[in-house]
Structure formats: C-alpha cells, structure tokens
Amino acid sequence: MSSPKIVLYTNRTCPWAHRAHIVLQELGLPFQEVTIDLDTPREPWYLEVNPRGLVPSLSYNGEVITESGIVAQFLADAYPSHLVPPSNTPEGALQRARIAFFVDTYSSKAAPHYNAALRGATEADRKAGVESYVAAIKKEIEPLLYQGLEGKQHGPFFGGSDKLTLVEVLLGSFLIRLHAFADKEADLIDPAIWEGLAEAKNFSRWAQATREHPSVNGIFDAKACADRTKKKLLANRK
C-alpha cells in the first residue's frame, strides 16, 4: 500500500490548526506543510481549497477535509492506534462516548470562561473569567479525568492511559496556551489562576503531562503565540 499524499494547510500560532499537527505527529504520518497567513485576506487559491478560509485544511490524496476536530477524528479513524479504540465493540464504543463527552464538557463548560479570562473587555471581566474557569475545572473536569481509578496506579492521560488519547489531541493545544499565557512575562491571563487550579490535582497532573508531551509541544512557540495573541487583543480592545 503506497503512502497517502497529505498536505496540511496550517498556521502554527493557531490552536485549532495545532490539533492537526498533534495527531499527525502522534501517528507518525509524513506530510507537506503549507503555511497560511492569518493576518491578511486569504488568497484566492486558498479559498478554492477551503472556501471558509480557515485553518487547518487537510488534503488527503486530493480529498480536502476541513474543521480541526473532523481532521483529527478522520486521521485517528483512518490509522487505528492508541488514540481511540475502534467502535465495533461495546467497550470501544463506550470509550469513544466517554472521550466525546469529556471534550464536549471542557468545550462547553470551561472553555468559554478561559476565553473570558483572556479576552474580557475589562480587568474585572478577565478576573471573573479566571474565577469561573477555575470553578468549572473543579466541578466539571476534575471528577471525569480518572473516574473509577481512585487508589490505582495509572497513566497521566485521559482514562488513565499511558499514551496520548484523542482527548489530548483535541485539547492539548489549548492547555499549552493556558500555561504559556498565564506566565507573568506573557501578561495575558492573570497568574492567580494557578492558585485555584493547584487544588484540582487530577487536572494539574493531566494538563502538565499533556503540555510536556513531544507531540503537543513540538511545534509550539510560546513567545510567537503570545505576541500574536496580545497584538490581536489590543487591536480588538481599541
């Protein structure tokens, strides 16, 4: 079987595009990388690839797949691995349901507060976002990470896995930015967030293991992402 021709249209500062890099790295798939400038209007040729003009877009043997979650799921399904079990058994289907529920919970219950902590119009709004994010992590995320594994030895990733799962593929780019943006030098998210998150021991262990994994941090340039984010935020606030 010949290797597929994979072309990834991306921008390494984009957390959504970062998802595609994580899954491609973890699966060990060779690909061609094409960088799309996100700070200028999209060129006509790229709008032919993806009419929405977003990244990532994945060309797989000439078939274009868009939207980061769909790209990641497609690759995880096309190349069975430790990331996600097959769905043709009740156990595999159940684990997929757990993965989907966890990602949805983070995206709907915690992520909006992270966005407020980062993008709030006033300092008070951003502080309220930090407090709400910490509360959501403690209430919604902390209990789900190692459910049923209390007192047992297990790996640091979702469900006690020793290896990355699709959960870390889909959320790793946001966890690593949380850590980078809450650094005092970045000055993007109030560092006081760490005081609250320290009490969420499951989350802290999981987030640290995720952001330190080579597939997650391999392309991440903390300064470049922080500088671009700060520039966009300042422009929006004006």
Side-chain angles (χ1 to χ4, degrees):
M1 180 180 177
S2 60
S3 298
K5 182 179 180 182
I6 299 176
V7 181
L8 177 65
Y9 301 91
T10 183
N11 186 295
R12 291 187 174 198
T13 64
C14 172
W16 305 99
H18 192 169
R19 285 173 155 182
H21 287 269
I22 296 170
V23 70
L24 286 164
Q25 176 67 28
E26 192 64 11
L27 294 174
L29 296 172
F31 64 97
Q32 176 188 350
E33 182 176 346
V34 178
T35 299
I36 303 302
D37 186 350
L38 300 180
D39 296 322
T40 61
R42 304 301 178 269
E43 296 184 34
W45 70 264
Y46 185 59
L47 293 176
E48 292 183 10
V49 174
N50 182 350
R52 295 181 180 179
L54 303 175
V55 291
S57 298
L58 187 85
S59 175
Y60 185 89
N61 285 336
E63 291 284 343
V64 175
I65 302 162
T66 62
E67 299 300 320
S68 61
I70 297 172
V71 168
Q73 186 72 63
F74 163 74
L75 291 170
D77 285 339
Y79 297 90
S81 71
H82 54 277
L83 292 177
V84 63
S87 60
N88 59 353
T89 67
E91 294 80 8
L94 180 58
Q95 184 62 3
R96 280 174 169 253
R98 291 188 181 117
I99 287 172
F101 181 76
F102 184 88
V103 173
D104 179 77
T105 299
Y106 186 92
S107 300
S108 62
K109 304 297 184 182
H113 302 302
Y114 164 83
N115 290 332
L118 180 63
R119 299 185 174 88
T122 67
E123 185 176 349
D125 291 338
R126 296 190 289 277
K127 183 177 180 180
V130 165
E131 293 172 353
S132 296
Y133 178 82
V134 169
I137 292 297
K138 290 179 179 178
K139 179 182 178 182
E140 304 286 352
I141 300 301
E142 180 77 358
L144 296 178
L145 277 165
Y146 306 120
Q147 206 168 45
L149 296 175
E150 294 81 358
K152 299 179 182 178
Q153 189 172 10
H154 54 76
F157 302 112
F158 181 74
S161 175
D162 289 323
K163 297 180 179 180
L164 286 195
T165 72
L166 190 60
V167 164
E168 290 77 35
V169 168
L170 295 176
L171 299 180
S173 61
F174 301 99
L175 295 174
I176 202 169
R177 281 164 175 76
L178 167 66
H179 185 260
F181 293 172
D183 182 85
K184 287 183 179 179
E185 286 190 21
D187 192 29
L188 282 165
I189 293 178
D190 187 348
I193 197 171
W194 301 125
E195 296 174 17
L197 290 177
E199 300 175 14
K201 297 188 182 303
N202 287 341
F203 175 83
S204 297
R205 181 189 183 214
W206 168 67
Q208 180 177 356
T210 299
R211 67 176 182 260
E212 291 179 353
H213 194 283
S215 292
V216 176
N217 66 34
I219 69 159
F220 185 63
D221 185 329
K223 187 177 186 306
C225 288
D227 288 349
R228 182 171 183 271
T229 300
K230 187 175 294 186
K231 182 179 178 181
K232 287 180 62 180
L233 289 175
L234 290 175
N236 290 337
R237 287 170 189 165
K238 288 179 182 179

